[in-house]
Each structure stands twice: as C-alpha cells, then as structure tokens.
Amino acid sequence: MIDLSQYLPILLFLGVALVLSSAFVFLPMIAARFTGAHKPYPEKLTEYECGFPAFEDSRSQFDVRFYLVAILFIVFDLEAAFIYPWAVSVFKLGFHAGWAAWVSMMVFIAELALGLVYAWKKGALDWE
C-alpha cells in the first residue's frame, strides 16, 4: 500500500496558493463593483498601447525605433540582473577568486558600455 500522507503538505500548499490567487483576482473586481469604480465609458474601454493612439488597421507598422528601445531596455535590464548576484557574492570569495570575479565583471560592463556607445552613435536612442 502506498502512503499518501507524504503528499499532504504539497496538497495544502497548492490549496492555499489556489485560494490566495483566486482572492487576488476576484476580490478587487468585487470591491470595484461595490465602490462604484466599475463605471465603463468609451474612453475607458479603448485600447491603449505604449502611448500610441488606436489604429484603424491592425496590420499597420510601428516605427523600428520602438523595437530598438525595447531591445536595449531588455539588454541593460539583464545587465542589472547579472550585477546584483555578483555584487552580493564577490566579497565572500577568496582573495584571488575575488579579483578574478571583479576583472570578469569589469570586462562584462566594458562590453555593455561599448554596446551602448555603438547604439548611441547609430541613433538608436534618439526619439523624435
């Protein structure tokens, strides 16, 4: 016979997660209905995308600069995601490993700085 009591903590965890996630979804909707915040009008129901007015044709093209800025944001956001754990752990390493980690991070930052200079020179950051 299989002892299913080992799975009880997992089932409890999933149950609590389901109850909390449902509460975070449905309670604000219910509160909006009762407080009067749910009063739709045409301007409130219009689509809104990144500051652009709604388009008539769904196949219209966006300016390529929008995508360039988005890609650059992702690149430099990932840089911050790599720098934070490095900064937390670099001083816990030994002397030689700490210097190796520091030099490797400076090379990483220099490469990203060169990429930023390149993007700047190409005009990817100019928004007209």
Side-chain angles (χ1 to χ4, degrees), residues 8 10-11 18 20 24 43 49 53 55 58 72-73 80-81 87 98 100 105 113 116:
L8 184 61
I10 296 172
L11 290 175
L18 182 66
L20 285 177
F24 283 130
E43 288 84 14
E49 292 183 8
F55 297 110
S58 63
L72 288 172
F73 171 76
M105 183 54 72
L116 178 63

Side-chain angles (χ1 to χ4, degrees), residues 51-71:
F52 293 110
F55 297 110
E56 298 296 324
D57 185 17
S58 63
R59 293 177 299 238
S60 62
Q61 294 181 349
F62 286 99
D63 193 3
V64 72
R65 289 176 293 190
F66 173 77
Y67 298 107
L68 287 175
V69 170
I71 289 171

Side-chain angles (χ1 to χ4, degrees), residues 29-112:
M29 292 177 176
I30 294 169
R33 294 271 183 190
F34 287 125
T35 60
H38 180 75
K39 293 182 181 175
Y41 51 90
E43 288 84 14
K44 194 174 186 181
L45 295 176
T46 59
E47 294 85 14
Y48 181 77
E49 292 183 8
C50 305
F52 293 110
F55 297 110
E56 298 296 324
D57 185 17
S58 63
R59 293 177 299 238
S60 62
Q61 294 181 349
F62 286 99
D63 193 3
V64 72
R65 289 176 293 190
F66 173 77
Y67 298 107
L68 287 175
V69 170
I71 289 171
L72 288 172
F73 171 76
I74 290 171
V75 166
F76 289 104
D77 188 43
L78 286 177
E79 173 190 2
F82 282 121
I83 288 176
Y84 179 73
W86 170 83
V88 169
S89 65
V90 71
F91 297 111
K92 295 178 184 175
L93 300 173
F95 180 74
H96 295 291
W99 276 106
W102 187 82
V103 168
S104 64
M105 183 54 72
M106 293 306 116
V107 169
F108 177 69
I109 291 173
E111 288 174 355
L112 284 169

Side-chain angles (χ1 to χ4, degrees), residues 6-7 14 21 26 30 54 69-70 86 92 98 120 122 124:
Q6 295 175 353
Y7 293 104
L14 289 175
S21 61
F26 294 115
I30 294 169
V69 170
W86 170 83
K92 295 178 184 175
W120 199 333
K122 287 292 186 177

